[in-house]
Amino acid sequence: MYSSIVALAANTPGADGTLFQWSWFIFNKYSTLFLKATWVTLYVSLIGTILGFILGFAVGIINTVQIHKEDNIVKKILIRILKIIVVVYVEIFRDTPMIVQGMVIYYGLRQNDIMITSIIAGILVTTLNTGAYMGETVRAGIKSVDAGQEEGALAMGMSHFKAMLYIIVPQALKNVIPEMCNTFVNNLKMTSVLNVIGVSELFLMAKTAGGAYYKYFESYIVISIIYFVLCFVFNRIFAVVEKKLQGRSDYELATEFLDNE
């Protein structure tokens, strides 16, 4: 994969080449590597965000489970243990840098004879990091739903799980999805720190390509443009999605029926 990096080109811009010329030359010469790195960046951030979103929902739901006096002792102990695990997990991943998490998880697992690949480790780190932040977002989204709806569901004989699944979560989802979209865009940029564990994302490819001609600045200019285009496009797409979730604003209240009453 890196064989083309070390090969020198005959038509280099030369010492007197401008910033634009060198940036275009690096992009053109190593376009295949940049394309593969862009795919890896999208792949890791997308899979990590989706899995982290699922994990975050589990964390958010566990955080909202209430312990009642009439619950049996086994249920009380189990819920308390789950809550402690969730709190510890959230605090660890919210209070440590993602780059450190990557180093600890990747080298920690390999040191214990778990031969995990850098890509899988990157997805795992992104998932755990996203889940910790999304857990708090989901908890806030669930709390934003009127408490009377869950009380009504419980009064009808529903369990907490069924009330969450059929009544609370669908409403909370509308409030949480915009934040998930923002998290995905943030993960696109944060994957750059995963170069420390060998993930072949954009930053690592820029560093490798720039090292061939000692033109690091020009190489980083290339990936800056790629990052900008990716984030700009996804931000525009997610803005449309968020607007759709908000529903139509040109509706009229059905007051005529009430007036006739």
Side-chain angles (χ1 to χ4, degrees):
M1 183 176 182
Y2 299 100
S3 59
S4 60
I5 289 291
V6 297
L8 295 176
N11 57 342
T12 57
D16 57 343
T18 64
L19 173 65
F20 174 79
Q21 288 175 328
W22 271 106
S23 297
W24 175 252
F25 169 76
I26 290 176
F27 171 74
N28 188 53
K29 182 171 179 58
Y30 303 116
S31 57
T32 301
L33 290 180
F34 285 124
L35 182 61
K36 290 180 179 179
T38 301
W39 162 248
V40 171
T41 298
L42 286 169
Y43 178 75
V44 172
S45 55
L46 179 62
I47 300 299
T49 302
I50 292 174
L51 295 179
F53 181 63
I54 296 171
L55 178 60
F57 250 101
V59 169
I61 290 174
I62 290 172
N63 274 331
T64 58
V65 174
Q66 298 181 355
I67 300 176
H68 303 285
K69 293 182 179 179
E70 60 273 15
D71 293 336
N72 61 68
I73 187 66
V74 175
K75 183 178 180 181
K76 289 181 179 180
I77 293 174
L78 180 61
I79 293 175
R80 288 188 184 278
I81 292 174
L82 286 175
K83 282 181 173 288
I84 291 172
I85 293 173
V86 163
V87 168
V88 172
Y89 156 65
V90 169
E91 289 300 324
I92 288 176
F93 280 88
R94 282 171 62 93
D95 298 336
T96 56
M98 189 173 174
I99 189 171
V100 176
Q101 295 165 14
M103 298 283 280
V104 170
I105 290 175
Y106 180 66
Y107 292 109
L109 291 176
R110 292 181 70 89
Q111 185 173 318
N112 289 278
D113 298 324
I114 301 176
M115 295 296 107
I116 188 172
T117 65
S118 58
I119 292 290
I120 298 300
I123 292 175
L124 179 59
V125 172
T126 306
T127 297
L128 293 173
N129 190 273
T130 301
Y133 283 93
M134 287 303 301
E136 291 299 295
T137 302
V138 170
R139 183 185 64 81
I142 291 174
K143 291 293 184 182
S144 68
V145 179
D146 184 63
Q149 298 195 38
E150 183 180 2
E151 293 173 0
L154 295 176
M156 294 173 61
M158 281 189 174
S159 63
H160 177 79
F161 176 78
K162 286 186 176 181
M164 282 289 172
L165 183 62
Y166 296 114
I167 297 177
I168 307 302
V169 168
Q171 297 179 71
L173 195 63
K174 182 179 179 180
N175 299 326
V176 172
I177 283 181
E179 182 59 30
M180 186 188 74
C181 296
N182 292 332
T183 300
F184 170 70
V185 174
N186 186 59
N187 284 341
L188 272 176
K189 295 175 285 187
M190 288 301 294
T191 52
S192 60
V193 304
L194 298 177
N195 75 92
V196 297
I197 60 174
V199 178
S200 302
E201 42 68 57
L202 282 168
F203 185 85
L204 182 60
M205 288 300 99
K207 185 165 61 174
T208 306
Y213 299 94
Y214 299 100
K215 293 292 182 179
Y216 293 101
F217 179 69
E218 289 81 357
S219 185
Y220 293 142
I221 288 292
V222 172
I223 64 167
S224 295
I225 295 173
I226 295 174
Y227 275 124
F228 175 80
V229 171
L230 288 175
C231 294
F232 181 84
V233 170
F234 280 110
N235 275 325
R236 300 286 79 75
I237 293 173
F238 294 149
V240 174
V241 172
E242 187 174 352
K243 188 175 181 180
K244 291 291 184 181
L245 289 174
Q246 291 174 352
R248 297 178 59 179
S249 59
D250 58 344
Y251 61 86
E252 296 181 3
L253 293 175
T255 58
E256 183 177 349
F257 175 78
L258 296 176
D259 294 338
N260 293 334
E261 291 291 315

